[in-house]
Amino acid sequence: MLAKRIIPCLDVTAGRVVKGTNFVGLRDAGDPIEIARRYNEQGADEVTFLDITASSDQRDIILHIVEACAEQVFIPLTVGGGVRKVEDVRRLLNAGADKVSMNTAAVQNPDLVFDASSKVGSQCIVVAIDAKQVAPGQWHVFTHGGRNDTGLDTIAWAKKVAALGAGEILLTSMDRDGTKNGFDLALTRAVSDAVSIPVIASGGVGNLQHLADGVSEGRADAVLAASIFHFGEYTVRQAKEYMAARGIEVRL
Amino acid sequence: MSAGQTIAVIDYGMGNLRSVSKALEHVAGGKTVVVTADPAVVAAAERVVFPGQGAMPDCMNELDARGLRAAVLAAAKDKPFLGICVGEQMLFERSDEGDVPALGVFPGNVKRFPDAKMYLPTGERLKVPHMGWNEVRQSPHALWNGIADGSRFYFVHSYFVEPADPALVTGRCEYGVPFTCVAVQFHPEKSARDGLQLLKNFVEWHP
C-alpha cells in the first residue's frame, strides 16, 4: 500500500536554513545540505527547499545548493520560491530537483502551470497555495509571501491548477503557519476532497499528533513540517513510528 | 578510461539525468558514468541506463530528434540495460498517453490508471499521479540482491505497463489495479538505501 509521506521543509535564504512565525521573524536553523542529509538518514520521504530570498541577484545560490544536495541525498527533492518561467523550472530540474513548486507566478499567469507541466510532465509541477480563512469554511489565496489577498477562492483555485496539469498541491494555512497549533484540518480536507491529485498539508505542526491528524482528519497524502524537526524536538523516525502506531501506512 | 567499463546514461533532453548519474556514481566502483546523447558512446558502453520523465510523446520525439532510437534498440537487446519510469514504458509497443507507438522491444502496452478503479476497499480515493513510496513484490532477479521482498520504492507516474508476457515481470506493485515492472517503474535513484542497492546490483549484473 502507498505510504503517507513525511516531508521536512527547509526555508532557505542566503545559503542558510531559517524559520519564522506567520512568515516573519526569521531565525537561523543551519546548513541546508547538512540538514537534508540528516533527514534522509532519519527516513524522510522527500525534502522540500523553499527559496525565500527576496533579491533576484541571490537566486542562483539555490541552484548550487540543489546541485550539492542531489549529489549526496538520494530521495526526492522539491524546490520552490521565485519560479516565474518555464526556463526557471528547467534550470532547477537540471540542477537536480525532482519537483518544482510555484506560487505567486501561477496566480499571475495560470498558463505557466499548463506550459510547465506540458513541457516537463505533471509529476514535476507542484502548485503551492498559501490560504487564509476569510469566513467560516472559506479561504482566500494569498501571494507575495502572504502579503497580498488575491480574492481567489482556495477550493476553486486548487481545482483549476489540477485541471491545468499540476501534479501535486502544497497547501499552507497562513493562519496556522509557525503557530504550533496544528494544521487547519477543515481547509486541508476541503482541498484534498476537491481534487484528484495528491495534497501536502502544511502550516502549524507543533507535535506528532498534528501530523497524524493531517492524514486521518485532513485526508492529506503527505504532511510537511519544519521547526519540530529543525530544532530537534522530534526526529522524522519518531514521527513515523507515532503515525504507524495509529494505523497510518508509513515507510519505516 | 576504457569505453568497455562505462555506464552510459542516455540523454535525450528529458528527465532527471543528474539525479540518475549521481546515484550511479555513488555505487559504480571503478566504472565511469557518462551522460551522453552520442549513439557511438552508447554502443561502446558496457551497460546502459535509459531514464525518463515527462510525457511519452515528447520523449519519443526527443529520442528520434537526437538519432538515438537505433542505439537504444541495440543496447536493449545485447547489453545490461535498465529502463527507469518512462524509460521502462518506452520499451513497450504503444502508450495510452498521446496514443503514440513506442520502441516495441517488449510486447505489451502502457495504460493510464483507470479512474473507476482508483478506490481502496474502505472507499478512500486513490490520487493520480501515483506519487510516493509503495511496496514492490519481487520475482527472482539479480537486481533484487540484498533487498527485502516488499521493500518500498519511490514512484511518480500516471501510466503503467501491461506486458503481454508474464515471464518478463521482475516486480509487482498495486495501486487501484495491480501493475508490473520489467525494467523499473519506480525511481531507484530516489529510493534511498534500497534504491542505491538496486543500482549497485545493476552495475554488477552479468546476465
Side-chain angles (χ1 to χ4, degrees), chain A residues 91-206:
Chain A
R91 286 171 75 205
L92 286 166
L93 294 178
N94 288 342
D98 298 283
K99 298 189 261 186
V100 171
S101 165
M102 48 183 70
N103 185 340
T104 301
V107 173
Q108 289 173 337
N109 175 22
D111 286 346
L112 177 63
V113 179
F114 179 80
D115 292 344
S117 59
S118 303
K119 193 71 202 163
V120 299
S122 287
Q123 82 287 342
C124 294
I125 302 301
V126 182
V127 172
I129 302 177
D130 292 338
K132 190 173 173 124
Q133 189 164 348
V134 291
Q138 202 189 346
W139 300 267
H140 277 184
V141 177
F142 280 64
T143 57
H144 297 88
R147 292 187 297 276
N148 190 20
D149 182 357
T150 65
L152 286 170
D153 175 68
T154 296
I155 310 298
W157 175 239
K159 286 182 176 173
K160 181 168 179 182
V161 298
L164 286 169
E168 189 171 43
I169 288 171
L170 167 53
L171 178 66
T172 301
S173 163
M174 291 188 47
D175 302 302
R176 299 300 181 91
D177 190 64
T179 64
K180 293 185 171 282
N181 291 331
F183 295 121
D184 183 336
L185 296 173
L187 167 70
T188 306
R189 186 168 185 148
V191 173
S192 189
D193 285 352
V195 296
S196 63
I197 57 175
V199 172
I200 306 167
S202 158
V205 173

Side-chain angles (χ1 to χ4, degrees), chain A residues 1-5 45-46 67 70-71 73-76 90 94-96 98-99 118-121 123-124 167-168 192-193 195-199 221 249-251, chain B residues 13-16 18-19 22-23 26 53-55 58 62 120 124-135 152 154 156-157 174-175 188-192 196:
Chain A
M1 200 165 136
L2 184 64
K4 301 295 182 185
R5 289 168 281 153
D45 296 306
E46 300 180 15
E67 283 173 4
E71 286 177 16
V73 182
F74 301 107
I75 56 174
R90 292 216 82 119
N94 288 342
D98 298 283
K99 298 189 261 186
S118 303
K119 193 71 202 163
V120 299
Q123 82 287 342
C124 294
E168 189 171 43
S192 189
D193 285 352
V195 296
S196 63
I197 57 175
V199 172
D221 301 282
E249 191 87 7
V250 291
R251 176 180 74 108
Chain B
M14 305 293 286
N16 54 344
R18 188 176 166 85
S19 295
K22 289 298 165 190
H26 203 76
Q53 259 188 1
D58 290 339
E62 295 295 329
L120 290 176
E124 185 188 336
R125 183 171 51 163
L126 297 172
K127 305 291 186 74
V128 176
H130 174 218
M131 186 184 287
W133 299 77
N134 210 335
E135 297 155 301
R152 291 179 184 276
Y154 187 79
V156 51
H157 61 127
E174 181 154 345
Y175 189 64
E189 77 281 8
K190 289 286 155 183
S191 292
L196 292 173

Side-chain angles (χ1 to χ4, degrees), chain A residues 57-93:
Chain A
D57 57 337
Q58 287 195 339
R59 280 278 172 226
D60 283 354
I61 294 174
I62 196 74
L63 289 173
H64 302 304
I65 294 172
V66 171
E67 283 173 4
C69 191
E71 286 177 16
Q72 301 173 40
V73 182
F74 301 107
I75 56 174
L77 171 63
T78 301
V79 183
V83 174
R84 291 187 180 83
K85 307 185 293 286
V86 174
E87 181 53 32
D88 297 332
V89 174
R90 292 216 82 119
R91 286 171 75 205
L92 286 166
L93 294 178

